[in-house]
């Protein structure tokens, strides 16, 4: 199967699992990372780092490297790279498969405030809310424009911008236990959790803790991704490739 050279668009824990399974199945695998995280967990197989230079750059890279398929295992909120990957694969005449875990959905005991995007999430928070903000680096600035909000910003690496007074930075890498999430929310008097609808098990414990504490959760809906063959598990995607 070594004639099958697969490009994984990565940057997620699912991409690491996918790389491992494809390498073990005998494929030649290159995982591409955006290069934003300073100390990323590295997958098996080859790795390349940094943007391609848009769709055109990605198309050239695919053609130079002779890939037979792209598997897109990027985060559900990384919309630009998925669009570039889908279009470049089509233009190169190779297969494009998407790996995407199912979105979370609210249980009857949940108090979710569903919003379409980050701007709506900022507006959905009531005056003076104490927030546990888990949305990531790109979204931080908009929340900092609301001077009445305070709370905890949790992310994996230090953000590029400084936090406003009343916000505390917590650098931590998932997974977190439900107990730890509950303690965090209690210790910081959190009144609202804000999250993207990332889906999957890795970061679901915050939702379980919020449910138990009856804390409202502002949930940002996923952006549109290309209409492509999409698989909910690594095993089903590997089976389809075979
Ligand atoms: P994005 O908005 O879709 O992409 C912006 C640009 O970053 C792309 O046009 C591309 O640059 C470059 N890029 C993104 N992913 C890349 C990859 N895997 N390999 C090479 N270049 C990549 O992406 P994003 O939301 O900034 O996310 C960046 C990375 O972080 C992704 O790999 C994603 O899986 C991961 N991540 C994102 C989130 C999130 O909430 N957005 C959460 C966890 C992990 P060029 O146009 O120059 O090629």
């Amino acid at each position: 199967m070594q004639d099958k050279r697969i490009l994984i668009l990565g940057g997620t824990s699912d991409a690491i699992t996918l790389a491992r399974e494809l390498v073990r199945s005998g494929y030649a695998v290159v995982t591409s990372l955006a290069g934003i995280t300073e100390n990323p967990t590295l997958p098996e197989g080859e790795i390349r780092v940094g943007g391609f230079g848009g769709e055109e750059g990605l198309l050239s890279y695919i053609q130079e490297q002779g890939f037979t398929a792209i598997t897109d295992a990027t985060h559900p909120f990384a919309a630009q790279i998925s669009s570039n990957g889908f279009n470049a694969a089509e233009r190169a005449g190779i297969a494009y498969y998407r790996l995407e875990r199912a979105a979370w959905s609210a249980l009857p005991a949940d108090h979710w405030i569903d919003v379409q995007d980050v701007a709506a999430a900022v507006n959905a928070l009531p005056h003076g809310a104490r927030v546990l903000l888990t949305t990531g680096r790109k979204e931080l600035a908009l929340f900092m424009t609301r001077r009445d909000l305070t709370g905890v910003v949790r992310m994996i690496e230090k953000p590029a911008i400084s936090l406003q007074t009343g916000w505390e930075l917590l650098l931590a890498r998932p997974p977190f236990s439900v107990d730890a999430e509950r303690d965090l929310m209690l210790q910081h008097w959190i009144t609202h959790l804000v999250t993207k609808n990332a889906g999957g098990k890795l970061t679901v414990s915050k939702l379980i803790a919020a449910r138990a504490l009856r804390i409202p959760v502002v949930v940002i809906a996923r952006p549109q991704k290309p209409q492509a063959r999409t698989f909910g598990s690594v095993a089903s995607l590997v089976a389809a490739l075979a």
Side-chain angles (χ1 to χ4, degrees):
M1 220 175 282
Q2 281 295 347
D3 57 325
K4 298 263 186 187
R5 190 161 161 77
I6 311 284
L7 174 62
I8 299 178
L9 298 175
T12 58
S13 56
D14 289 342
I16 291 172
T17 310
L18 178 62
R20 187 189 65 212
E21 292 308 313
L22 289 179
V23 166
R24 287 179 191 179
S25 301
Y27 293 96
V29 174
V30 178
T31 297
S32 174
L33 302 173
I36 294 156
T37 310
E38 261 178 48
N39 294 304
T41 312
L42 294 179
E44 288 182 33
E46 283 178 54
I47 294 153
R48 70 157 298 286
V49 181
F52 298 98
E55 183 185 316
E56 294 302 326
L58 179 51
L59 176 62
S60 305
Y61 179 70
I62 293 168
Q63 289 168 335
E64 278 162 23
Q65 296 278 322
F67 290 109
T68 49
I70 291 187
T71 55
D72 178 359
T74 56
H75 191 270
F77 282 74
Q80 186 61 55
I81 188 68
S82 290
S83 165
N84 293 351
F86 179 78
N87 292 337
E90 191 173 66
R91 288 171 65 192
I94 64 169
Y96 169 95
Y97 299 93
R98 172 136 185 86
L99 175 63
E100 190 162 289
R101 45 198 144 131
W104 294 316
S105 44
L107 296 181
D110 284 323
H111 177 178
W112 278 21
I113 303 161
D114 290 305
V115 294
Q116 283 309 306
D117 54 29
V118 180
V122 174
N123 290 331
L125 290 163
H127 185 84
R130 290 272 310 158
V131 180
L132 174 56
L133 187 59
T134 64
T135 48
R137 68 194 159 84
K138 280 208 286 195
E139 293 75 14
L140 186 55
L142 264 185
F143 286 94
M144 293 300 116
T145 62
R146 278 276 307 265
R147 296 301 173 87
D148 60 306
L149 302 176
T150 56
V152 176
V153 174
R154 182 174 65 199
M155 47 183 59
I156 293 176
E157 286 184 349
K158 214 165 171 284
I161 65 163
S162 2
L163 304 185
Q164 294 293 339
T165 313
W167 287 95
E168 195 172 309
L169 180 65
L170 177 60
L171 298 180
R173 191 181 286 272
F176 310 108
S177 71
V178 175
D179 283 351
E181 294 293 56
R182 200 200 48 167
D183 291 351
L184 177 68
M185 292 179 199
L186 287 174
Q187 276 161 17
H188 291 272
W189 302 95
I190 296 301
T191 62
H192 290 75
L193 168 66
V194 181
T195 181
K196 293 173 175 170
N197 195 334
K201 291 184 184 152
L202 192 66
T203 57
V204 76
S205 52
K206 60 189 170 188
L207 296 178
I208 301 171
R211 184 180 306 137
L213 295 172
R214 298 174 185 276
I215 288 177
V217 187
V218 177
V219 181
I220 304 170
R222 294 176 171 193
Q224 283 283 337
K225 286 268 192 171
Q227 297 290 312
R229 290 185 70 187
T230 300
F231 299 85
S233 69
V234 168
S236 58
L237 194 155
V238 173
L241 265 176

